[in-house]
Amino acid sequence: MSMIRTEHVSKKFGHLEVLKDINLTVENGEVICIIGPSGAGKSTFLRSLNQLETITGGQIFIEDELFLHREHDKTVHSVDKARQKQLLLEMGMVFQHFNLFPHKTVMENLMLAPMTVKGMSKDEVEPLAAKLLSDVGLSDKADQYPSKLSGGQKQRVAIARALAMQPKIMLFDEPTSALDPELVGEVLNVMRRLAEEGMTMLCVTHEMGFAREVADRVVFMADGIIMEDSSPEEIFNNPQNARTKQFLQSIL
Amino acid sequence: MKSKALKILKSIVSAFDVRRWEKKSKIIAVTLIALFAVATVFAAIKPSEQELMDKASPQIRQELIKDETRSRRHVVITYNDLYFINYASFTTSGVNSISEKYVGFAGGVYHADEGAWNITGQFINYTYRMLGCGQSMLYGAKLTIVLTTISIGLGLILSILLALGKISKNPLISLPCRAYIFFFRGTPLMIQIFCIYLAIPGIFEGFSWRSLFDSDDPEGVFKGAFVAAIIAFTLNSAAYCAEIVRAAVQSIDKGQYEAAKALGMTYGQTMRKIIIPQSARRMIPPVCNEFVMVLKDASLVFVIGLMDITTISKTISASGSYLVFIPAMVIYLIITAFFTYIFGKIEKKFSVYE
Ligand SMILES: Nc1ncnc2c1ncn2[C@@H]1O[C@H](COP(=O)(O)OP(=O)(O)OP(=O)(O)O)[C@@H](O)[C@H]1O
Ligand SMILES: [Mg+2]
């Protein structure tokens, strides 16, 4: 069973065609890294999956269920509202700029969504949140406000916050790009652990070392198209596409 | 050159900082205030009528004696402001009055022409007046504070709805909100007060603001007008606060909306739990500003017969005591300082997370 499958997904902002015919399948437990130059549409693609952007055309399947089908900016088919909410909750997202809630403590950041969205009681959420915090190594920061944390700590909290909703798929949009170099490692370690635990992950990243080591597949995206999609060894050691070669040369 | 001017300015400012005063200056200040207070208390003790009669000049006494023989109707001694003492006799042929300046102090009567008493008399006179006015001005201050606090409080609640409505993408919601804000910011508050006070009873037959209260209550007219004023001020400040709320809400990073949406929160939940609490902190300084504006605009209630600090002090000044504006301004300053302090405290409380 595939967790996510997209078919012919396209997205236009006005006349700017950012995504053109994206076909990607993410299997259960798979870790996929998306790499590519700036403006390739990587963020837009991730955001289209969890409906932060609405696609212009194509189909999105979640757990083999047709979630959304649109053509020419018109919805052809969509699951009903209740199911839509349910399916979206299976995706957690981590942003480049953390987007923690600054007016809530770390613990409250973790507990807010499970309580308001899932209607869980405080007693139910608290142990779960505490466990997640200790998993990311921040138990001692539970009562701090985000402003008191370093970038790396913020991002670890953001990961824990997304995990508190118990998603089946995690989307990461350049989670380490806004961090000082010495803080990148702690976040990547958390992500690596998550991958080892079998989480399905879709990561947009510029950390080629991480992609090479952790990813099951690496997708190279440019100009709104998936140019190449294969194993990390293939992509990094023996890229087929000319654009991929050019890109890898430019960053290495 | 510039730094010298700054130095001078600083030294002037620090002169008003009580904490920096030397001990000697403090003692002088306290003594002056104490003297002032004692003098005021003494000044408030009126001399008896007999005392006044005894002090009267021969001329006046003669008048009084003459009155005995004539068909005297009244002898009226008016004791104005502790300063002018009028001996007036009303006779059939008319009013015969002589007025002389005396000073009543601690039950005694002193001739105001006796050198020092002239100045002292004036001083006591004004002090007493101010105290007397102070009382009515405190009444005005109460009206000002209650009116401002209630209308800003209610206005804020209304303004959140208006602001969210104005931001809304649905024109059926945003257009009415826009129109409301445009209307209330674009027309004078005074006319709005008039309209609500006069037009509503005009539209709803049989309704009058007074009828909201017990018909036996002689204060009913004022209470009714006060309700009308609160409604007008609430509707008006809601429009102004709505712009404050809108600006604050729109200043929140859109990443906050995205994070909330990615966690499955609805728009309503996002607003209530994420956006409004964060905007609240940013709203406090401009709302404090609006509060202080309304505090002073409260004087407009005079158009419907209510008296606030400004109106009362203007009325008092009409009888000649222009100094009354000093305590009026002091009261305003105290109220403003108090509420600025409160708003500052609230802001601090909201800023714990920064
Ligand atoms: N809301 C928007 N409105 C208009 N254009 C947009 C919008 N969001 C993104 N774009 C455009 O879409 C293109 C792709 O953006 P996207 O953020 O997906 O790129 P990316 O691959 O994530 O790049 P980066 O590595 O810089 O994050 C860019 O040219 C960008 O300017
Ligand atoms: Mg991006």
Side-chain angles (χ1 to χ4, degrees), chain A residues 136-213:
Chain A
V136 297
L138 290 172
S139 296
D140 55 327
K141 301 286 182 196
D143 297 322
Q144 297 271 351
Y145 285 98
S147 59
K148 296 281 185 306
L149 304 181
S150 73
Q153 292 170 331
K154 281 183 192 162
Q155 196 59 295
R156 279 144 68 198
V157 172
I159 294 173
R161 178 179 70 177
L163 292 174
M165 289 300 280
Q166 298 170 303
K168 293 184 184 165
I169 310 156
M170 284 287 280
L171 310 175
F172 292 86
D173 189 4
E174 301 194 27
T176 57
S177 295
L179 299 179
D180 290 338
E182 74 270 21
L183 301 177
V184 169
E186 59 188 70
V187 173
L188 291 183
N189 281 338
V190 168
M191 290 170 65
R192 193 175 287 125
R193 265 249 315 288
L194 204 56
E196 282 162 9
E197 283 167 13
M199 175 64 78
T200 310
M201 288 163 59
L202 202 49
C203 316
V204 174
T205 185
H206 291 303
E207 297 297 328
M208 296 306 154
F210 175 81
R212 191 191 283 265
E213 182 198 343

Coordinates of all heavy atoms in Angstrom, one line a residue, chain A residues 136-213:
Chain A
V136 N 13.1 13.8 21.8 CA 14.0 14.8 21.1 C 15.0 15.5 22.0 O 15.6 16.4 21.7 CB 13.1 15.9 20.4 CG1 12.2 15.2 19.3 CG2 12.3 16.7 21.4
G137 N 15.0 15.0 23.3 CA 16.0 15.4 24.2 C 15.8 16.8 24.8 O 16.7 17.5 25.1
L138 N 14.5 17.1 25.0 CA 14.2 18.5 25.5 C 13.3 18.5 26.7 O 12.5 19.4 26.9 CB 13.6 19.3 24.4 CG 14.6 19.7 23.3 CD1 13.8 20.4 22.1 CD2 15.7 20.7 23.8
S139 N 13.3 17.4 27.5 CA 12.4 17.3 28.6 C 12.6 18.5 29.6 O 11.6 19.0 30.1 CB 12.7 16.0 29.4 OG 12.4 14.9 28.6
D140 N 13.8 18.9 29.7 CA 14.1 20.0 30.6 C 13.5 21.4 30.1 O 13.5 22.4 30.9 CB 15.6 20.1 30.9 CG 16.4 20.3 29.7 OD1 15.9 19.7 28.6 OD2 17.4 21.0 29.7
K141 N 13.1 21.4 28.9 CA 12.6 22.7 28.3 C 11.1 22.8 28.3 O 10.6 23.8 27.7 CB 13.1 22.9 26.9 CG 14.6 22.9 26.8 CD 15.3 24.1 27.3 CE 16.8 24.1 27.1 NZ 17.4 25.2 27.9
A142 N 10.4 21.8 28.9 CA 9.0 21.7 28.8 C 8.3 23.1 29.1 O 7.3 23.4 28.4 CB 8.5 20.6 29.7
D143 N 8.7 23.8 30.1 CA 8.0 24.9 30.6 C 8.6 26.2 30.0 O 8.2 27.3 30.5 CB 7.9 25.0 32.1 CG 7.1 23.8 32.6 OD1 6.2 23.4 32.0 OD2 7.6 23.2 33.6
Q144 N 9.5 26.1 29.1 CA 10.1 27.3 28.5 C 9.3 27.8 27.4 O 8.5 27.1 26.8 CB 11.5 27.0 27.9 CG 12.5 26.5 29.0 CD 13.3 27.7 29.6 OE1 13.1 28.8 29.1 NE2 14.0 27.4 30.6
Y145 N 9.4 29.1 27.1 CA 8.8 29.7 25.9 C 9.8 29.5 24.7 O 11.0 29.6 24.9 CB 8.4 31.1 26.1 CG 7.2 31.3 27.0 CD1 7.3 31.6 28.3 CD2 5.9 31.1 26.4 CE1 6.1 31.7 29.1 CE2 4.8 31.2 27.2 CZ 4.9 31.5 28.5 OH 3.8 31.6 29.3
P146 N 9.2 29.3 23.5 CA 10.1 29.1 22.4 C 11.2 30.2 22.2 O 12.3 29.9 21.7 CB 9.2 29.2 21.2 CG 7.9 28.7 21.7 CD 7.8 29.2 23.1
S147 N 10.9 31.4 22.6 CA 11.9 32.5 22.4 C 13.2 32.2 23.2 O 14.2 32.8 22.9 CB 11.3 33.8 22.9 OG 11.0 33.7 24.2
K148 N 13.1 31.3 24.2 CA 14.3 31.0 25.0 C 15.1 29.9 24.4 O 16.2 29.5 25.0 CB 13.9 30.7 26.4 CG 13.2 31.8 27.2 CD 14.2 32.8 27.7 CE 13.6 33.9 28.5 NZ 12.5 34.6 27.9
L149 N 14.7 29.3 23.3 CA 15.4 28.1 22.7 C 16.3 28.5 21.6 O 16.1 29.5 20.9 CB 14.3 27.1 22.2 CG 13.3 26.6 23.2 CD1 12.4 25.6 22.6 CD2 13.9 26.1 24.5
S150 N 17.3 27.7 21.3 CA 18.1 27.9 20.2 C 17.4 27.4 18.9 O 16.4 26.7 19.1 CB 19.4 27.1 20.3 OG 19.2 25.7 20.2
G151 N 17.8 27.7 17.8 CA 17.2 27.3 16.5 C 17.0 25.8 16.5 O 15.9 25.3 16.1
G152 N 18.1 25.0 16.8 CA 18.0 23.6 16.8 C 17.0 23.0 17.7 O 16.2 22.1 17.4
Q153 N 16.9 23.6 18.9 CA 15.9 23.2 19.9 C 14.5 23.5 19.4 O 13.6 22.7 19.5 CB 16.2 23.9 21.2 CG 17.5 23.4 21.9 CD 17.9 24.3 23.1 OE1 17.5 25.4 23.2 NE2 18.6 23.7 24.0
K154 N 14.4 24.7 18.8 CA 13.1 25.0 18.3 C 12.6 24.0 17.2 O 11.5 23.6 17.3 CB 13.1 26.4 17.6 CG 13.1 27.6 18.6 CD 13.0 28.9 17.8 CE 13.3 30.0 18.7 NZ 13.7 31.2 18.1
Q155 N 13.5 23.6 16.3 CA 13.1 22.7 15.3 C 12.8 21.3 15.9 O 11.9 20.6 15.4 CB 14.2 22.6 14.2 CG 13.8 22.0 12.9 CD 12.6 22.7 12.3 OE1 11.5 22.8 12.8 NE2 12.8 23.3 11.1
R156 N 13.5 20.9 16.9 CA 13.2 19.6 17.6 C 11.8 19.7 18.2 O 11.1 18.7 18.1 CB 14.3 19.3 18.6 CG 15.5 18.6 17.9 CD 16.8 19.1 18.6 NE 17.0 18.5 19.9 CZ 17.8 19.0 20.8 NH1 18.6 20.0 20.5 NH2 17.9 18.5 22.0
V157 N 11.5 20.8 18.8 CA 10.2 21.0 19.4 C 9.1 20.9 18.3 O 8.1 20.3 18.4 CB 10.0 22.3 20.2 CG1 8.6 22.6 20.6 CG2 10.9 22.3 21.4
A158 N 9.4 21.6 17.2 CA 8.5 21.6 16.0 C 8.2 20.2 15.5 O 7.1 19.8 15.2 CB 9.0 22.5 14.9
I159 N 9.3 19.3 15.5 CA 9.1 18.0 15.1 C 8.2 17.2 16.1 O 7.3 16.5 15.7 CB 10.5 17.3 14.9 CG1 11.3 17.9 13.8 CG2 10.3 15.8 14.7 CD1 12.7 17.4 13.7
A160 N 8.6 17.4 17.4 CA 7.8 16.8 18.4 C 6.3 17.2 18.4 O 5.4 16.4 18.6 CB 8.3 17.1 19.8
R161 N 6.1 18.5 18.1 CA 4.7 19.0 18.0 C 4.0 18.3 16.9 O 2.8 17.9 17.0 CB 4.7 20.5 17.7 CG 3.4 21.1 17.6 CD 3.4 22.6 17.4 NE 3.9 22.9 16.1 CZ 4.0 24.2 15.6 NH1 3.6 25.2 16.4 NH2 4.5 24.4 14.4
A162 N 4.6 18.1 15.7 CA 4.0 17.5 14.6 C 3.7 16.0 15.0 O 2.6 15.5 14.7 CB 4.8 17.5 13.4
L163 N 4.6 15.4 15.7 CA 4.5 14.0 16.0 C 3.4 13.8 17.1 O 2.8 12.7 17.2 CB 5.8 13.4 16.6 CG 6.9 13.3 15.6 CD1 8.2 12.8 16.2 CD2 6.5 12.2 14.5
A164 N 3.1 14.8 17.9 CA 2.1 14.7 18.9 C 0.7 14.4 18.3 O -0.2 13.9 19.0 CB 2.0 16.0 19.7
M165 N 0.5 14.7 17.0 CA -0.8 14.4 16.4 C -0.7 13.0 15.8 O -1.7 12.5 15.2 CB -1.0 15.4 15.2 CG -1.4 16.8 15.7 SD -2.9 16.8 16.7 CE -4.1 16.7 15.4
Q166 N 0.3 12.2 16.1 CA 0.5 10.8 15.7 C 0.2 10.6 14.2 O -0.6 9.8 13.8 CB -0.4 9.9 16.6 CG 0.0 10.0 18.0 CD -1.0 9.4 19.0 OE1 -2.1 9.7 19.0 NE2 -0.5 8.5 19.8
P167 N 1.0 11.3 13.4 CA 0.8 11.2 11.9 C 1.4 9.9 11.4 O 2.3 9.3 12.1 CB 1.5 12.4 11.4 CG 2.6 12.7 12.3 CD 2.1 12.3 13.7
K168 N 1.1 9.6 10.2 CA 1.7 8.4 9.6 C 2.8 8.8 8.6 O 3.6 8.1 8.2 CB 0.7 7.6 8.8 CG -0.3 6.9 9.8 CD -1.3 6.0 9.0 CE -2.3 5.5 9.9 NZ -3.5 4.9 9.1
I169 N 2.7 10.1 8.1 CA 3.7 10.6 7.2 C 4.2 11.9 7.7 O 3.4 12.7 8.2 CB 3.0 10.9 5.8 CG1 2.2 9.7 5.3 CG2 4.1 11.3 4.8 CD1 1.1 10.1 4.4
M170 N 5.5 12.1 7.6 CA 6.0 13.4 8.0 C 6.6 14.1 6.8 O 7.4 13.6 6.0 CB 7.1 13.3 9.1 CG 6.6 12.9 10.5 SD 5.8 14.3 11.3 CE 7.3 15.2 11.9
L171 N 6.2 15.4 6.6 CA 6.7 16.2 5.6 C 7.7 17.2 6.2 O 7.3 17.9 7.1 CB 5.6 17.0 4.9 CG 4.3 16.2 4.4 CD1 3.3 17.1 3.9 CD2 4.7 15.1 3.4
F172 N 8.9 17.3 5.6 CA 9.9 18.2 6.1 C 10.2 19.2 5.0 O 10.7 18.7 4.0 CB 11.2 17.5 6.6 CG 11.0 16.6 7.8 CD1 10.5 15.3 7.7 CD2 11.3 17.1 9.1 CE1 10.4 14.5 8.8 CE2 11.1 16.3 10.2 CZ 10.7 15.0 10.0
D173 N 10.1 20.5 5.2 CA 10.5 21.4 4.2 C 11.7 22.2 4.7 O 11.7 23.1 5.4 CB 9.3 22.4 3.9 CG 9.6 23.3 2.7 OD1 10.7 23.1 2.1 OD2 8.8 24.2 2.4
E174 N 12.9 21.7 4.2 CA 14.2 22.3 4.6 C 14.3 22.6 6.1 O 14.4 23.7 6.5 CB 14.4 23.6 3.8 CG 14.4 23.3 2.3 CD 14.9 24.5 1.5 OE1 15.7 25.2 2.1 OE2 14.5 24.7 0.3
P175 N 14.2 21.5 6.9 CA 14.1 21.7 8.3 C 15.4 22.3 8.9 O 15.4 22.8 10.0 CB 13.8 20.3 8.9 CG 14.3 19.4 7.8 CD 14.1 20.1 6.5
T176 N 16.5 22.2 8.2 CA 17.8 22.7 8.8 C 18.3 23.9 8.1 O 19.4 24.4 8.4 CB 18.8 21.5 8.7 OG1 19.0 21.1 7.4 CG2 18.4 20.3 9.5
S177 N 17.6 24.4 7.1 CA 18.2 25.5 6.3 C 18.3 26.8 7.1 O 19.1 27.7 6.7 CB 17.3 25.8 5.1 OG 17.3 24.7 4.2
A178 N 17.5 27.0 8.1 CA 17.5 28.2 8.9 C 18.4 28.1 10.1 O 18.4 29.0 10.9 CB 16.1 28.7 9.3
L179 N 19.2 27.0 10.2 CA 20.0 26.8 11.4 C 21.4 27.1 11.2 O 22.0 27.0 10.1 CB 19.8 25.3 11.8 CG 18.4 24.8 12.1 CD1 18.5 23.3 12.5 CD2 17.8 25.6 13.2
D180 N 22.1 27.5 12.3 CA 23.5 27.7 12.3 C 24.1 26.3 12.0 O 23.6 25.3 12.5 CB 24.0 28.2 13.6 CG 23.6 29.6 13.8 OD1 23.3 30.3 12.8 OD2 23.6 30.1 14.9
P181 N 25.2 26.2 11.3 CA 25.8 24.9 10.9 C 26.0 23.9 12.1 O 25.7 22.7 12.0 CB 27.1 25.3 10.3 CG 27.0 26.7 9.8 CD 26.0 27.3 10.7
E182 N 26.4 24.5 13.3 CA 26.7 23.6 14.4 C 25.4 23.0 15.0 O 25.4 22.1 15.8 CB 27.5 24.2 15.4 CG 26.8 25.3 16.3 CD 26.9 26.7 15.7 OE1 27.1 26.8 14.5 OE2 26.7 27.6 16.5
L183 N 24.2 23.5 14.6 CA 23.0 23.1 15.2 C 22.2 22.1 14.2 O 21.2 21.5 14.6 CB 22.0 24.2 15.5 CG 22.6 25.3 16.4 CD1 21.6 26.4 16.6 CD2 22.9 24.6 17.8
V184 N 22.8 21.9 13.0 CA 22.1 21.1 12.0 C 22.1 19.6 12.5 O 21.1 19.0 12.4 CB 22.8 21.2 10.7 CG1 22.3 20.2 9.7 CG2 22.6 22.6 10.1
G185 N 23.2 19.2 13.1 CA 23.4 17.8 13.4 C 22.3 17.3 14.4 O 21.7 16.2 14.2
E186 N 22.0 18.1 15.4 CA 21.0 17.6 16.4 C 19.6 17.4 15.8 O 18.9 16.5 16.2 CB 20.9 18.6 17.6 CG 20.5 20.0 17.2 CD 20.6 21.0 18.4 OE1 21.7 21.3 18.8 OE2 19.5 21.4 18.9
V187 N 19.3 18.2 14.8 CA 18.0 18.0 14.1 C 18.0 16.8 13.2 O 17.1 16.0 13.2 CB 17.6 19.3 13.4 CG1 16.3 19.1 12.5 CG2 17.4 20.5 14.3
L188 N 19.1 16.7 12.5 CA 19.2 15.5 11.6 C 19.2 14.2 12.4 O 18.6 13.2 11.9 CB 20.5 15.6 10.7 CG 20.5 16.8 9.7 CD1 21.8 16.7 8.9 CD2 19.3 16.7 8.8
N189 N 19.8 14.3 13.6 CA 19.8 13.0 14.4 C 18.4 12.6 14.8 O 18.1 11.4 14.7 CB 20.6 13.3 15.7 CG 22.1 13.2 15.4 OD1 22.5 12.5 14.4 ND2 22.9 13.8 16.3
V190 N 17.6 13.6 15.1 CA 16.2 13.3 15.5 C 15.5 12.7 14.2 O 14.8 11.7 14.3 CB 15.5 14.6 15.9 CG1 14.0 14.4 16.0 CG2 16.0 15.0 17.3
M191 N 15.7 13.3 13.1 CA 15.1 12.8 11.9 C 15.6 11.4 11.5 O 14.8 10.6 11.1 CB 15.4 13.8 10.7 CG 14.7 15.1 10.8 SD 15.2 16.3 9.6 CE 14.7 15.6 8.1
R192 N 16.9 11.2 11.7 CA 17.4 9.9 11.4 C 16.8 8.8 12.3 O 16.4 7.8 11.8 CB 18.9 9.9 11.7 CG 19.7 8.8 11.2 CD 21.2 9.0 11.4 NE 21.7 10.0 10.5 CZ 22.4 11.1 10.9 NH1 22.6 11.3 12.1 NH2 22.9 12.0 10.0
R193 N 16.6 9.1 13.6 CA 16.0 8.2 14.5 C 14.5 7.9 14.1 O 14.1 6.8 14.1 CB 15.9 8.8 15.9 CG 17.1 8.4 16.8 CD 16.6 7.5 18.0 NE 15.3 8.1 18.6 CZ 15.3 9.2 19.3 NH1 16.4 9.8 19.6 NH2 14.2 9.6 19.8
L194 N 13.9 9.0 13.7 CA 12.5 8.8 13.2 C 12.4 7.9 12.0 O 11.5 7.0 12.0 CB 12.0 10.2 12.8 CG 10.5 10.4 12.9 CD1 9.9 10.1 14.3 CD2 10.2 11.9 12.5
A195 N 13.4 8.0 11.1 CA 13.4 7.2 10.0 C 13.7 5.7 10.4 O 13.0 4.8 9.8 CB 14.5 7.6 9.0
E196 N 14.6 5.5 11.3 CA 14.9 4.2 11.8 C 13.6 3.5 12.4 O 13.5 2.3 12.4 CB 16.0 4.2 12.8 CG 17.4 4.4 12.2 CD 18.4 4.8 13.1 OE1 18.2 4.9 14.4 OE2 19.6 5.2 12.7
E197 N 12.8 4.4 13.1 CA 11.6 3.8 13.7 C 10.5 3.5 12.7 O 9.5 3.0 13.1 CB 11.0 4.8 14.7 CG 11.8 4.9 16.0 CD 11.5 6.1 16.8 OE1 10.4 6.8 16.5 OE2 12.2 6.4 17.8
G198 N 10.8 3.7 11.4 CA 9.9 3.3 10.4 C 8.9 4.3 9.9 O 7.9 4.0 9.2
M199 N 9.1 5.6 10.3 CA 8.2 6.7 9.9 C 8.3 6.9 8.4 O 9.4 6.9 7.8 CB 8.5 8.0 10.6 CG 7.7 9.2 10.2 SD 5.9 9.1 10.5 CE 5.9 9.4 12.2
T200 N 7.2 7.1 7.7 CA 7.2 7.5 6.3 C 7.6 9.0 6.2 O 6.9 9.8 6.9 CB 5.9 7.3 5.6 OG1 5.4 5.9 6.0 CG2 5.9 7.5 4.2
M201 N 8.6 9.3 5.5 CA 9.1 10.7 5.5 C 9.3 11.2 4.1 O 9.8 10.5 3.2 CB 10.4 10.8 6.3 CG 10.2 10.6 7.8 SD 11.7 10.3 8.7 CE 12.7 11.7 8.4
L202 N 8.9 12.5 3.9 CA 9.2 13.2 2.7 C 9.9 14.4 3.0 O 9.4 15.3 3.6 CB 7.8 13.5 2.0 CG 7.7 13.7 0.5 CD1 8.5 12.7 -0.3 CD2 6.3 13.8 0.1
C203 N 11.2 14.5 2.7 CA 12.1 15.6 3.1 C 12.6 16.4 2.0 O 13.3 15.9 1.2 CB 13.3 15.1 4.0 SG 12.9 13.8 5.1
V204 N 12.3 17.7 2.0 CA 13.0 18.6 1.1 C 14.3 19.0 1.8 O 14.2 19.5 3.0 CB 12.2 19.8 0.7 CG1 13.0 20.8 -0.1 CG2 10.9 19.4 0.0
T205 N 15.4 18.8 1.3 CA 16.6 19.1 2.0 C 17.8 19.5 1.1 O 17.8 19.1 0.0 CB 17.0 17.9 3.0 OG1 18.1 18.3 3.8 CG2 17.4 16.7 2.2
H206 N 18.7 20.2 1.7 CA 20.0 20.5 1.0 C 21.1 19.7 1.7 O 22.3 19.9 1.3 CB 20.3 22.0 1.0 CG 19.3 22.8 0.2 ND1 19.2 22.5 -1.1 CD2 18.5 23.8 0.5 CE1 18.3 23.4 -1.7 NE2 17.8 24.1 -0.7
E207 N 20.8 18.9 2.7 CA 21.8 18.1 3.4 C 22.1 16.8 2.6 O 21.4 15.8 2.8 CB 21.4 17.8 4.8 CG 21.2 19.0 5.7 CD 22.5 19.8 5.9 OE1 23.5 19.1 5.9 OE2 22.4 21.0 6.0
M208 N 23.0 16.9 1.7 CA 23.2 15.7 0.8 C 23.8 14.5 1.6 O 23.4 13.4 1.3 CB 24.2 16.1 -0.3 CG 23.7 17.2 -1.2 SD 22.1 16.8 -1.9 CE 21.5 18.4 -2.2
G209 N 24.5 14.8 2.6 CA 25.0 13.7 3.5 C 23.9 12.9 4.1 O 23.9 11.7 4.1
F210 N 22.9 13.6 4.6 CA 21.7 13.0 5.2 C 21.0 12.2 4.2 O 20.6 11.1 4.4 CB 20.9 14.1 5.8 CG 19.6 13.6 6.4 CD1 19.5 13.1 7.7 CD2 18.4 13.7 5.7 CE1 18.3 12.6 8.2 CE2 17.2 13.3 6.2 CZ 17.2 12.7 7.4
A211 N 20.8 12.8 3.0 CA 20.0 12.2 1.9 C 20.7 10.9 1.5 O 20.1 9.8 1.4 CB 19.9 13.1 0.7
R212 N 22.0 10.9 1.4 CA 22.8 9.8 1.0 C 22.7 8.6 2.0 O 22.5 7.5 1.6 CB 24.2 10.2 0.8 CG 25.1 9.2 0.1 CD 26.6 9.6 0.3 NE 26.9 10.7 -0.6 CZ 27.5 10.5 -1.8 NH1 27.8 9.3 -2.2 NH2 27.8 11.5 -2.5
E213 N 22.7 9.0 3.3 CA 22.7 8.0 4.3 C 21.3 7.5 4.7 O 21.2 6.3 4.9 CB 23.3 8.7 5.6 CG 23.5 7.8 6.8 CD 23.7 8.6 8.0 OE1 24.0 9.8 7.9 OE2 23.5 8.0 9.1

